[in-house]
Protein backbone atom coordinates (compact mmCIF):
# COMPACT_ATOMS: atom_id res chain seq x y z
CA UNK A 1 0.00 0.00 0.00
CA UNK A 2 3.07 2.26 -0.07
CA UNK A 3 2.40 3.65 -3.54
CA UNK A 4 -1.18 4.54 -2.64
CA UNK A 5 -0.05 6.15 0.62
CA UNK A 6 2.68 8.16 -1.11
CA UNK A 7 0.37 9.46 -3.84
CA UNK A 8 -2.15 10.64 -1.24
CA UNK A 9 0.51 12.55 0.69
CA UNK A 10 1.73 14.14 -2.52
CA UNK A 11 -1.83 15.31 -3.16
CA UNK A 12 -2.34 16.79 0.31
CA UNK A 13 1.21 18.13 0.79
CA UNK A 14 0.35 21.73 -0.06
CA UNK A 15 -2.73 21.69 2.16
CA UNK A 16 -0.80 20.30 5.15
CA UNK A 17 2.11 22.68 4.63
CA UNK A 18 -0.19 25.70 4.49
CA UNK A 19 -2.02 24.53 7.62
CA UNK A 20 1.08 23.69 9.66
CA UNK A 21 3.00 26.77 8.55
CA UNK A 22 6.23 27.66 10.30
CA UNK A 23 5.17 26.70 13.81
CA UNK A 24 2.94 23.63 13.32
CA UNK A 25 -0.33 23.16 15.21
CA UNK A 26 -1.24 23.02 18.89
CA UNK A 27 -1.02 19.22 18.96
CA UNK A 28 2.62 19.26 17.84
CA UNK A 29 3.57 22.29 19.92
CA UNK A 30 2.08 21.05 23.20
CA UNK A 31 1.93 17.26 22.91
CA UNK A 32 4.70 16.11 20.58
CA UNK A 33 7.56 18.62 20.57
CA UNK A 34 8.31 19.14 24.31
CA UNK A 35 8.65 15.47 25.27
CA UNK A 36 10.35 14.56 21.99
CA UNK A 37 13.02 17.17 22.63
CA UNK A 38 13.37 15.92 26.20
CA UNK A 39 13.99 12.36 25.00
CA UNK A 40 16.31 13.40 22.15
CA UNK A 41 18.58 15.53 24.38
CA UNK A 42 19.98 17.34 21.33
CA UNK A 43 23.59 18.48 21.67
CA UNK A 44 25.59 20.92 19.57
CA UNK A 45 27.21 19.24 16.58
CA UNK A 46 25.23 16.00 16.69
CA UNK A 47 24.23 14.36 13.41
CA UNK A 48 20.49 13.63 13.44
CA UNK A 49 18.11 11.95 11.00
CA UNK A 50 14.58 13.31 10.64
CA UNK A 51 12.37 10.55 9.22
CA UNK A 52 9.21 11.47 7.28
CA UNK A 53 10.05 15.12 7.88
CA UNK A 54 7.03 16.65 6.13
CA UNK A 55 7.49 20.38 5.60
CA UNK A 56 10.60 20.43 7.79
CA UNK A 57 9.20 22.11 10.88
CA UNK A 58 11.07 19.88 13.30
CA UNK A 59 14.13 19.62 11.05
CA UNK A 60 14.57 23.37 11.42
CA UNK A 61 14.04 23.13 15.16
CA UNK A 62 16.80 20.50 15.40
CA UNK A 63 19.13 22.76 13.42
CA UNK A 64 18.29 25.67 15.72
CA UNK A 65 19.30 23.46 18.65
CA UNK A 66 22.72 22.95 17.04
CA UNK A 67 22.36 19.66 15.17
CA UNK A 68 23.41 18.77 11.64
CA UNK A 69 20.30 17.27 10.04
CA UNK A 70 19.53 14.87 7.21
CA UNK A 71 15.78 14.92 6.63
CA UNK A 72 13.75 12.79 4.25
CA UNK A 73 10.21 12.09 3.14
CA UNK A 74 8.73 9.89 0.42
CA UNK A 75 6.60 12.76 -0.89
CA UNK A 76 8.53 14.89 -3.41
CA UNK A 77 5.95 17.64 -2.96
CA UNK A 78 6.57 17.70 0.80
CA UNK A 79 10.32 17.91 0.28
CA UNK A 80 9.89 20.79 -2.15
CA UNK A 81 7.77 22.59 0.44
CA UNK A 82 10.38 21.88 3.14
CA UNK A 83 13.17 23.31 0.98
CA UNK A 84 11.17 26.47 0.25
CA UNK A 85 10.72 27.02 3.98
CA UNK A 86 14.38 26.29 4.77
CA UNK A 87 16.37 28.67 2.59
CA UNK A 88 18.25 29.90 5.67
CA UNK A 89 19.23 26.35 6.64
CA UNK A 90 20.96 25.06 3.51
CA UNK A 91 24.22 24.49 5.39
CA UNK A 92 22.50 22.68 8.30
CA UNK A 93 19.75 20.54 6.72
CA UNK A 94 20.06 18.12 3.81
CA UNK A 95 16.58 17.27 2.47
CA UNK A 96 16.16 14.09 0.43
CA UNK A 97 13.34 12.10 -1.16
CA UNK A 98 13.60 8.60 0.32
CA UNK A 99 11.02 5.87 0.84
CA UNK A 100 11.18 4.53 4.41
CA UNK A 101 10.01 1.10 3.19
CA UNK A 102 13.02 0.73 0.85
CA UNK A 103 15.90 -0.81 2.81
CA UNK A 104 18.62 -0.19 0.21
CA UNK A 105 17.59 3.45 -0.24
CA UNK A 106 17.71 3.96 3.50
CA UNK A 107 21.27 2.62 3.70
CA UNK A 108 22.43 5.26 1.19
CA UNK A 109 21.86 7.80 3.96
CA UNK A 110 25.05 6.55 5.65
CA UNK A 111 25.79 3.63 7.98
CA UNK A 112 26.74 4.31 11.61
CA UNK A 113 26.55 8.02 10.82
CA UNK A 114 23.84 9.29 13.16
CA UNK A 115 23.82 10.06 16.87
CA UNK A 116 20.04 9.92 16.81
CA UNK A 117 16.94 9.73 14.66
CA UNK A 118 13.43 11.04 15.10
CA UNK A 119 10.03 10.45 13.50
CA UNK A 120 7.22 12.74 14.64
CA UNK A 121 3.76 11.24 14.15
CA UNK A 122 4.87 9.31 11.07
CA UNK A 123 5.34 5.57 11.65
CA UNK A 124 1.58 5.03 11.62
CA UNK A 125 1.57 6.46 8.06
CA UNK A 126 4.13 3.92 6.81
CA UNK A 127 2.71 0.71 5.37
CA UNK A 128 5.65 -1.49 6.44
CA UNK A 129 8.09 -0.35 9.14
CA UNK A 130 10.16 -3.55 9.31
CA UNK A 131 12.73 -2.29 6.77
CA UNK A 132 13.06 1.04 8.57
CA UNK A 133 13.70 -0.72 11.88
CA UNK A 134 16.29 -2.96 10.27
CA UNK A 135 17.97 0.00 8.57
CA UNK A 136 18.09 2.07 11.78
CA UNK A 137 20.25 -0.60 13.39
CA UNK A 138 22.77 0.16 10.60
CA UNK A 139 22.32 3.93 10.32
CA UNK A 140 22.75 4.75 14.01
CA UNK A 141 26.05 4.82 15.85
CA UNK A 142 26.52 2.50 18.84
CA UNK A 143 24.20 3.70 21.63
CA UNK A 144 22.41 5.92 19.10
CA UNK A 145 18.76 6.62 19.85
CA UNK A 146 15.53 6.64 17.89
CA UNK A 147 12.68 8.76 19.25
CA UNK A 148 9.28 8.49 17.63
CA UNK A 149 5.70 9.45 18.37
CA UNK A 150 2.48 7.85 17.16
CA UNK A 151 -1.21 8.21 18.03
CA UNK A 152 -1.62 6.23 21.23
CA UNK A 153 -2.69 2.78 19.98
CA UNK A 154 -4.70 2.10 23.14
CA UNK A 155 -6.89 5.16 22.72
CA UNK A 156 -6.80 5.99 19.00
CA UNK A 157 -7.74 2.91 16.97
CA UNK A 158 -9.71 2.90 13.69
CA UNK A 159 -12.86 2.21 15.78
CA UNK A 160 -12.35 4.87 18.45
CA UNK A 161 -15.38 6.84 19.58
CA UNK A 162 -14.73 10.02 21.57
CA UNK A 163 -17.48 10.72 24.11
CA UNK A 164 -18.14 14.04 25.86
CA UNK A 165 -20.89 13.89 28.51
CA UNK A 166 -22.51 16.58 30.60
CA UNK A 167 -24.93 16.24 33.51
CA UNK A 168 -26.62 18.43 36.06
CA UNK A 169 -25.61 16.87 39.39
CA UNK A 170 -27.45 18.56 42.25
CA UNK A 171 -27.23 21.96 40.62
CA UNK A 172 -23.65 21.60 39.38
CA UNK A 173 -22.81 20.92 35.71
CA UNK A 174 -20.35 18.00 35.62
CA UNK A 175 -18.61 16.93 32.41
CA UNK A 176 -16.75 13.75 31.60
CA UNK A 177 -14.68 12.58 28.63
CA UNK A 178 -14.25 8.92 27.72
CA UNK A 179 -13.02 6.68 24.93
CA UNK A 180 -14.81 3.68 23.48
CA UNK A 181 -12.92 1.17 21.32
CA UNK A 182 -13.96 -2.19 19.91
CA UNK A 183 -10.65 -3.42 18.44
CA UNK A 184 -7.01 -3.08 19.48
CA UNK A 185 -4.83 -6.17 18.96
CA UNK A 186 -5.27 -6.60 15.21
CA UNK A 187 -3.04 -4.43 13.00
CA UNK A 188 -5.17 -2.84 10.30
CA UNK A 189 -5.11 -0.01 7.76
CA UNK A 190 -7.76 2.66 7.55
CA UNK A 191 -8.42 5.96 5.84
CA UNK A 192 -8.38 9.07 8.00
CA UNK A 193 -8.74 12.84 7.91
CA UNK A 194 -5.90 14.35 9.91
CA UNK A 195 -6.93 17.94 9.22
CA UNK A 196 -10.50 18.91 8.48
CA UNK A 197 -10.82 19.90 4.83
CA UNK A 198 -7.81 18.05 3.44
CA UNK A 199 -8.36 17.12 -0.24
CA UNK A 200 -8.30 13.33 0.24
CA UNK A 201 -7.99 11.01 3.26
CA UNK A 202 -4.58 9.53 3.93
CA UNK A 203 -3.82 5.99 5.07
CA UNK A 204 -3.25 5.12 8.70
CA UNK A 205 -1.78 1.80 9.87
CA UNK A 206 -2.83 0.80 13.37
CA UNK A 207 -0.46 -1.47 15.32
CA UNK A 208 -0.65 -2.42 19.01
CA UNK A 209 2.11 -1.38 21.40
CA UNK A 210 3.61 -4.88 21.53
CA UNK A 211 4.12 -4.82 17.76
CA UNK A 212 6.41 -1.79 17.98
CA UNK A 213 8.28 -3.00 21.03
CA UNK A 214 8.93 -6.53 19.80
CA UNK A 215 10.01 -5.26 16.38
CA UNK A 216 12.67 -3.00 17.88
CA UNK A 217 13.74 -5.54 20.49
CA UNK A 218 14.34 -8.09 17.72
CA UNK A 219 16.57 -5.56 15.90
CA UNK A 220 18.87 -5.01 18.87
CA UNK A 221 17.26 -1.99 20.53
CA UNK A 222 16.24 -1.43 24.13
CA UNK A 223 13.45 0.84 25.32
CA UNK A 224 14.84 3.44 27.73
CA UNK A 225 12.36 6.30 27.52
CA UNK A 226 8.58 6.67 27.24
CA UNK A 227 6.07 9.51 27.58
CA UNK A 228 2.27 9.60 27.33
CA UNK A 229 1.52 13.34 27.17
CA UNK A 230 -1.94 14.92 27.38
CA UNK A 231 -3.23 18.47 27.17
CA UNK A 232 -3.50 20.67 30.23
CA UNK A 233 -7.12 21.34 31.13
CA UNK A 234 -8.20 24.81 30.01
CA UNK A 235 -11.23 27.05 30.44
CA UNK A 236 -12.96 25.58 27.39
CA UNK A 237 -12.44 21.92 28.36
CA UNK A 238 -15.89 21.66 29.97
CA UNK A 239 -17.55 22.50 26.66
CA UNK A 240 -15.90 19.95 24.38
CA UNK A 241 -14.00 16.69 24.19
CA UNK A 242 -10.33 17.30 24.82
CA UNK A 243 -7.42 14.96 25.44
CA UNK A 244 -7.26 15.87 29.12
CA UNK A 245 -5.97 13.00 31.30
CA UNK A 246 -6.23 10.66 28.29
CA UNK A 247 -3.01 10.64 26.23
CA UNK A 248 -3.62 11.08 22.49
CA UNK A 249 -0.04 10.10 21.66
CA UNK A 250 2.81 7.98 22.98
CA UNK A 251 6.48 8.84 22.51
CA UNK A 252 9.19 6.17 22.62
CA UNK A 253 12.96 6.27 22.88
CA UNK A 254 14.77 3.15 21.70
CA UNK A 255 18.54 2.85 22.02
CA UNK A 256 20.81 0.77 19.82
CA UNK A 257 22.87 -1.71 21.81
Amino acid sequence: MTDDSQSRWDEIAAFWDDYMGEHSNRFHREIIRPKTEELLEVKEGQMLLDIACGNGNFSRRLADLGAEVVAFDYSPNMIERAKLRSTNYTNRIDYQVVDATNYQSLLTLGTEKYDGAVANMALMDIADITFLTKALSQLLKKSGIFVFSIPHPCFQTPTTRKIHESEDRNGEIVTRNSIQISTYLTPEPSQTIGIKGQPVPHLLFHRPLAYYMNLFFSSGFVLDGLHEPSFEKDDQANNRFDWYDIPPAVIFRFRKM
Side-chain angles (χ1 to χ4, degrees), residues 27-28 32 52 119-125 148-151 156 248-250:
F27 184 85
H28 278 264
I32 302 303
N120 286 329
M121 298 297 288
L123 264 61
M124 73 287 182
D125 295 328
F148 70 91
S149 55
I150 54 173
Q156 294 211 65
V250 58

Side-chain angles (χ1 to χ4, degrees), residues 29-42:
R29 291 193 305 269
E30 298 182 22
I31 295 293
I32 302 303
R33 179 173 289 183
K35 294 302 182 182
T36 296
E37 291 185 11
E38 181 180 316
L39 290 174
L40 272 173
E41 300 177 334
V42 179

Side-chain angles (χ1 to χ4, degrees), residues 47-50 68-71 94 96 106 108-117 138-145:
M47 178 64 72
L48 299 179
L49 183 65
D50 190 2
E68 301 291 329
V69 183
V70 174
D94 175 17
Q96 300 188 34
L106 290 168
T108 65
L109 296 169
T111 57
E112 297 190 354
K113 177 179 178 179
Y114 300 96
D115 300 288
Q138 303 298 314
L139 297 170
L140 291 172
K141 299 176 182 178
K142 182 177 176 58
S143 298
I145 60 173

Side-chain angles (χ1 to χ4, degrees), residues 193-255:
I193 297 293
I195 300 174
K196 186 177 180 180
Q198 70 184 56
V200 295
H202 61 275
L203 297 177
L204 190 73
F205 300 91
H206 166 74
R207 305 171 180 104
L209 291 175
Y211 182 98
Y212 290 98
M213 289 192 235
N214 289 328
L215 184 62
F216 280 92
F217 294 159
S218 67
S219 295
F221 289 84
V222 296
L223 177 66
D224 71 348
L226 181 74
H227 284 298
E228 297 174 292
S230 66
F231 286 114
E232 295 290 331
K233 194 169 185 178
D234 61 32
D235 293 338
Q236 299 301 314
N238 288 338
N239 302 319
R240 63 165 191 260
F241 180 94
D242 209 345
W243 294 97
Y244 163 67
D245 210 36
I246 301 174
V250 58
I251 308 174
F252 298 87
R253 181 175 65 199
F254 284 95
R255 188 177 300 274

Side-chain angles (χ1 to χ4, degrees), residues 3 8 14 22-23 43 57 73 85 96 100 124 159 190 199 214 237-238 242 249 255:
D3 289 345
R8 290 169 185 251
E22 286 295 331
H23 305 292
K43 296 178 177 60
N57 269 332
D73 201 285
R85 288 188 178 274
Q96 300 188 34
M124 73 287 182
T159 61
S190 63
N214 289 328
N238 288 338
D242 209 345
R255 188 177 300 274

